[in-house]
Every structure is written in C-alpha cells, then in structure tokens.
Amino acid sequence: MLKFKSIISRFLAIFFVTTLSVYSQADGTVITIKSDDNAPVINKHIYGHFAEHLGRCIYDGFFVGDNSEIPNTNGVRNDIVEALKKLQIPNLRWPGGCFADTYHWKDGIGPLDQRPTIVNTWWGGVTEDNSFGTHDFLNMCELLGAEPYLSGNIGSGTVQEFADWVQYTNFAGKSPMSDLRKENGREKPWKVKYWGMGNEAWGCGGNMTAEYYANEYRKYATFVTDWENTGSVARIASGASSDDYHWTETLMKNVPAKMLEGVALHHYSVIDWNNKGESVDFTEDQYFGTMSEALKMEELVTKHSAIMDKYDPAKKIDLVVDEWGGWYDVEKGSNPGFLYQQNTMRDAVLAGATLNIFNNHADRVRMANLAQCVNVLQAVILTKEAKMILTPTYHVMEMYKVHQDAKLIPIKFVSPLYIYNNKSLPALNVSASKDSKGLVHVSMVNVDSKKENKVEIDLNELGVKNITAKVLTSKTLQDHNSFDNPTKIQPADYKGFEVKKGKLIVTIPPFSVIVVEGK
Ligand code: AHR
C-alpha cells in the first residue's frame, strides 16, 4: 500500500512539474486550435443585414428617390450600395420587423401615383407613401449582390395574400400574379428563397401563444410554396425572444420538419428596457451590462440548438438569429420612434464577440441579421443629407467577411476574466476558419475595458508560417465616427504580435477586435 502511495505521489509530482512548465512556457492564454475535416462551413448568411420601414432606414437612408441630388440608381444611394458591396452582404431582410405584419405588399407595386398611403403605426406614426416597394427592394438586392429575405405578413394579412406574393416574385410561367409582375415591368421572376413567416408573433406580430402560432404556421406553410415544386423556398418561422425556450420547443414539436426550413431567434443586448442608456455617453457599468447581454448569445444559441437537436438530430433546420445587436436610447432630439443611435467601440466589441459566437455554432446557426443596416439601432451606415459614415460595427463586419463560407476551425481555451465591480465576464472571445484558398483567419475580441490580454497559438497545428493582422481599436470605449470626423475609427495593420519557436503570441489591447491571417 505504502509503495503504491509513493508511486502515486511521484506521478503527481511529475505531472505538476510538467504542467507548470507548460504554463510557465506559455506567453498568454493558450488557444488550442486544430483543423477538423468534420467541422461545419460558416454559412455566409450569418453576415446578413436587416432593413425595415423604420425611421430613416429606407426613406432618407437607402432610398432618396431618383429626383435626389445625391447620386443614386433608381433612387437608391450609390455610396450605400458601394459600401455594402464591399462588405459582401449576403442577404438583406425586409420590410420588417414589426412593420412586416402591417404591410400589404400590393400597396407597394404599380404606378407610384396609384399607391395608397398608410400610417406606420409601429414606428413614429409617420405616413408611408409606399414609393419603395417590392420591385424597388428586389432590384436593390440585385444591385447589392445580396439575397433578399422577405418577411411575410401573418399578423394582419391572409394566406392568399402571402401565397400571391410568392407567386408574384417567383413564378416564371403564366399565372395571375406573374402576369401582374410583367405588367409592372419585370419579366423574369426574382426567385426569392428566404421567407419569414411573420415576425415576433409573440408580440407585435399578433400577440400569439406558441401553440396558436404553431398552428397558424402550419396553415401558412402549406400555401407558401415555390409554385414549381422545386423545393427552393426556405420558410423561416417567427422565433423566440431571447430565452423563451418554450417557444422553440413548441414549434419543433408541432410543426412537421418537412414544413420548416428555419427557426428564428431575436436577442438584443439591452441593459434595461426602461432605461437603456445613451449610445455614446455610457459608463463602464453600462458597458459591462451591454456585454453581459451580448455574451448571453452563447447560452441562447446553445440551448435553442439543443432543443432543435431533439427533434432534428440531422440538423437540417437552420437557427436564424434574424435580429440582434445593441439597443440604446435614441439620440437626443431625434424622433423616439425612429430608433436612431450612434455607434461606438462598445458596438464593435459587441459585434465581434457575437459574430465569433455564431461562427463557433455554425453547425446550427446558418443565418443572422444585424439590426439594422442604415440609420437604425446598431447600424453599419449612418447618413446625414449627402454625407455617409461607416460605423465601427461596419469595420468589424468588413474585417470578419473572410469567415464567410470558410470552414470553421474548432478552438479551445480557458478565458481570463474581465472583472468589474465584483462581477466577471470571459474577457476573450475567439473564432477561426480556413477559406477555400487555404488562408487561416483567427478573429479575437478582448472584452476587458482596461487590461490587455495575450494569446498563444501553435502555428504548426495550423500549418501556416506567414502572419499578418488587422486591429480595430481606439483610445476610449466611447469613441465613434461622426459626420465631422468620419474616419476616427478604422481598421489598421497590426504589429502587436511575435512568432517564437513556432508559437504565435498576440497582444490584444483592451476593447479591441483583431483578425489574424495566416498563410
Ligand atoms: O428592430 C426593431 C424592432 O425590434 C423590430 O421591428 C422588431 O421585430 C423588434 O422588436
């Protein structure tokens, strides 16, 4: 027995010495990163956007009309189109949001002077003249090279109206709706694949229970088909709000898998719905609160995916996070119903961390839409008359576009903590992928507001030798791009790394986003 004990203690001593020496050799948090043939591809649609008839997103945002002095193509601003093409935006969701369940698509087609005006009840009670409709949106998507994602009206529409919209946009043959489309000047169908089956059916989309909506869904899904039986239409069910797991469970249990291509999820990083705080003038306490809500996305997609796994173990149905982002008080003096807010380094950190979470869950999260694209909530673009600025969130999206359709590389690490006021969050947030040309990209976010963090990556495991990096950082968390100083925050080449004995050691400054490229 004694002999056995001494063998054990000798073994433990060796184990601890070895472990300690591994730790003492490490120059920061060790990230284990190794390609895996079975890892999923990161669907480019995770990098999607959202454009609602809300505030200045469409009117006085994307769309200025073809009489505007601002350079435009059929009324759509050329500078916005160029900026979004550079992002390679894969898809754009429209026309809402809450607006979708009040929208009757036939109001927005045909001669302009015959289109009715309506009141946008959800967003500021403004009059909507329907001058931007189906043709305008779908043609704009063609300009952008983005796939349209149309949200249909289940809350206040009819099955017939929804089915007609699909026939109008998608049917090539002769039919009442394709004839109408041709009369309105469009011969070829647009072939829209992604269809949202209502929006927030638990709230602005009709205040339905999960059980009631599941039944409604089955009815609508029966008639929302591609009219040509090619199975090319993807129906995305209105999904849960944040941690409403009952919603996902009810849908998955009650809707046959063959009627369901995607289940949505909405989660906004809001500290307190009654006191959201300002978008620029925020405290560290508010920053910590926003980041706690943002990092909750990890738990949300894990738990919603686990429910989906029970009913769909082959993972055929997509989890579609079609609204996410930071939501603060509107800018002082602006219309409270327009949800216009500035965008700071806090939003860059939020975006980088959320996109890393989506990448790492690419086996189930196959689409997502940042809310929203222009002039609303966590926008990538802000406009003021003829001026346009790109926000820190835009730059994160641009740095991360390398992950679109690249193969995920699984990673493992134990994050150091960002400690604030006796509370803590994981400080580091990382994802990695290998693209079709063999380039490896590792995107890293340091959430800590004060402390830099170092990471160490074994380059031999990655099979790359030459490293370059880009960083998005600034002096303060509140820094942002403004119409007077539009390029204060921009990605820059980064040299804060070294390669030592086959290991890459990267120093990540506080509240910064870094993308490393390895060849
Ligand atoms: O993005 C703003 C609003 O937030 C959307 O219209 C709605 O779906 C959500 O509640």
Side-chain angles (χ1 to χ4, degrees):
M1 187 62 187
L2 252 176
K3 203 170 168 201
F4 178 70
K5 270 191 183 161
S6 90
I7 292 171
I8 290 284
S9 48
R10 208 173 311 157
F11 168 78
L12 284 177
I14 294 168
F15 172 79
F16 280 124
V17 169
T18 322
T19 316
L20 280 177
S21 65
V22 168
Y23 269 100
S24 62
Q25 276 164 18
D27 265 308
T29 300
V30 177
I31 300 187
T32 313
I33 176 165
K34 203 171 175 191
S35 297
D36 173 358
D37 288 344
N38 296 322
V41 164
I42 298 170
N43 197 315
K44 66 176 180 182
H45 287 296
I46 284 177
Y47 290 82
H49 291 265
F50 173 29
E52 180 165 9
H53 284 233
L54 192 177
R56 296 195 304 109
C57 184
I58 298 294
Y59 301 109
D60 198 22
F62 274 101
F63 187 70
V64 286
D66 50 11
N67 290 327
S68 171
E69 281 174 8
I70 300 171
N72 67 81
T73 306
N74 301 325
V76 176
R77 283 179 76 135
N78 292 344
D79 51 359
I80 292 186
V81 171
E82 280 323 302
L84 293 179
K85 275 168 88 167
K86 195 163 170 230
L87 276 194
Q88 293 169 7
I89 75 159
N91 71 71
L92 190 57
R93 178 173 183 248
W94 177 84
C98 293
F99 181 76
D101 283 289
T102 62
Y103 185 61
H104 300 282
W105 68 271
K106 283 182 185 159
D107 292 348
I109 55 167
L112 275 177
D113 58 0
Q114 287 168 32
R115 297 187 191 178
T117 51
I118 57 165
V119 177
N120 191 333
T121 43
W122 287 111
W123 306 119
V126 292
T127 299
E128 153 77 56
D129 68 1
N130 279 303
S131 52
F132 188 89
T134 299
H135 288 248
D136 309 276
F137 176 70
L138 295 177
N139 293 342
M140 180 172 96
C141 285
E142 286 184 341
L143 266 184
L144 293 168
E147 280 206 52
Y149 170 13
L150 294 182
S151 293
N153 180 347
I154 286 190
S156 71
T158 63
V159 175
Q160 181 71 55
E161 182 183 4
F162 201 147
D164 279 354
W165 204 12
V166 184
Q167 193 184 78
Y168 188 87
T169 58
N170 284 15
F171 190 59
K174 187 165 170 50
S175 75
M177 289 302 116
S178 53
D179 285 351
L180 185 58
R181 181 189 70 235
K182 288 173 197 166
E183 257 172 53
N184 288 330
R186 173 78 185 200
E187 184 64 32
K188 261 181 36 201
W190 291 276
K191 295 277 177 200
V192 178
K193 176 171 179 188
Y194 297 105
W195 291 88
M197 308 294 284
N199 168 75
E200 297 193 350
W202 40 265
C204 63
N207 282 308
M208 304 177 210
T209 62
E211 291 73 12
Y212 182 84
Y213 173 70
N215 274 344
E216 281 291 280
Y217 179 93
R218 291 168 65 121
K219 182 173 70 182
Y220 273 79
T222 307
F223 301 97
V224 172
T225 74
D226 62 3
W227 296 95
E228 282 163 348
N229 283 328
T230 55
S232 59
V233 163
R235 293 156 298 187
I236 298 162
S238 169
S241 170
S242 299
D243 58 359
D244 182 355
Y245 300 113
H246 171 74
W247 188 275
T248 304
E249 181 92 45
T250 307
L251 276 181
M252 293 301 296
K253 192 167 29 180
N254 294 312
V255 178
K258 64 175 191 312
M259 299 182 95
L260 187 60
E261 284 73 38
V263 172
L265 167 67
H266 288 183
H267 177 65
Y268 286 98
S269 303
V270 182
I271 313 167
D272 172 356
W273 283 100
N274 297 315
N275 185 13
K276 299 194 270 306
E278 289 187 20
S279 60
V280 173
D281 235 341
F282 56 88
T283 60
E284 173 153 15
D285 202 55
Q286 288 169 318
Y287 170 68
F288 189 92
T290 305
M291 288 316 300
S292 310
E293 281 301 315
L295 296 177
K296 208 178 261 175
M297 188 64 89
E298 173 69 39
E299 178 186 326
L300 295 176
V301 295
T302 304
K303 290 191 174 166
H304 284 287
S305 299
I307 295 168
M308 294 175 77
D309 287 351
K310 275 204 290 177
Y311 300 92
D312 172 35
K315 297 186 189 289
K316 291 202 169 131
I317 301 168
D318 302 346
L319 180 57
V320 178
V321 190
D322 56 15
E323 286 185 32
W324 67 272
W327 188 327
Y328 316 112
D329 289 340
V330 296
E331 188 158 279
K332 281 199 181 101
S334 69
N335 185 327
F338 280 16
L339 311 186
Y340 179 87
Q341 63 190 40
Q342 248 296 355
N343 196 291
T344 64
M345 278 306 298
R346 165 171 65 172
D347 298 287
V349 173
L350 190 167
T354 307
L355 292 167
N356 280 338
I357 294 170
F358 293 158
N359 287 348
N360 288 327
H361 286 271
D363 62 333
R364 181 65 85 174
V365 179
R366 303 205 185 91
M367 191 165 182
N369 302 79
L370 174 64
Q372 298 191 3
C373 198
V374 179
N375 291 334
V376 170
L377 299 178
Q378 193 174 340
V380 289
I381 289 174
L382 298 175
T383 65
K384 188 180 184 184
E385 291 146 12
K387 289 185 182 173
M388 178 190 89
I389 55 176
L390 306 175
T391 65
T393 302
Y394 175 96
H395 293 305
V396 172
M397 284 276 184
E398 216 262 321
M399 289 163 74
Y400 274 52
K401 70 184 180 195
V402 290
H403 289 305
Q404 290 189 23
D405 283 342
K407 198 168 180 62
L408 180 76
I409 307 180
I411 50 171
K412 275 194 201 138
F413 67 98
V414 178
S415 175
L417 295 178
Y418 158 36
I419 299 171
Y420 166 75
N421 215 4
N422 295 323
K423 298 175 282 188
S424 66
L425 286 174
L428 285 177
N429 178 288
V430 183
S431 73
S433 69
K434 189 180 216 165
D435 70 14
S436 54
K437 293 184 211 123
L439 295 177
V440 168
H441 295 102
V442 185
S443 43
M444 314 174 192
V445 179
N446 183 5
V447 176
D448 201 306
S449 64
K450 294 201 180 71
K451 256 178 54 194
E452 67 175 31
N453 269 298
K454 279 190 181 187
V455 297
E456 184 186 294
I457 297 170
D458 189 338
L459 288 181
N460 298 324
E461 292 287 4
L462 279 181
V464 294
K465 286 196 177 75
N466 298 320
I467 303 294
T468 52
K470 291 235 181 264
V471 69
L472 193 75
T473 191
S474 198
K475 282 209 179 93
T476 77
L477 259 167
Q478 290 74 11
D479 280 352
H480 56 278
N481 292 334
S482 66
F483 293 98
D484 296 329
N485 190 357
T487 52
K488 184 179 176 80
I489 297 171
Q490 290 198 86
D493 289 340
Y494 189 59
K495 300 277 176 251
F497 64 86
E498 55 178 330
V499 178
K500 257 197 329 200
K501 296 187 193 148
K503 311 261 189 234
L504 170 68
I505 298 138
V506 187
T507 304
I508 317 176
F511 59 88
S512 63
V513 180
I514 287 179
V515 176
V516 167
E517 179 173 282
K519 269 190 207 170

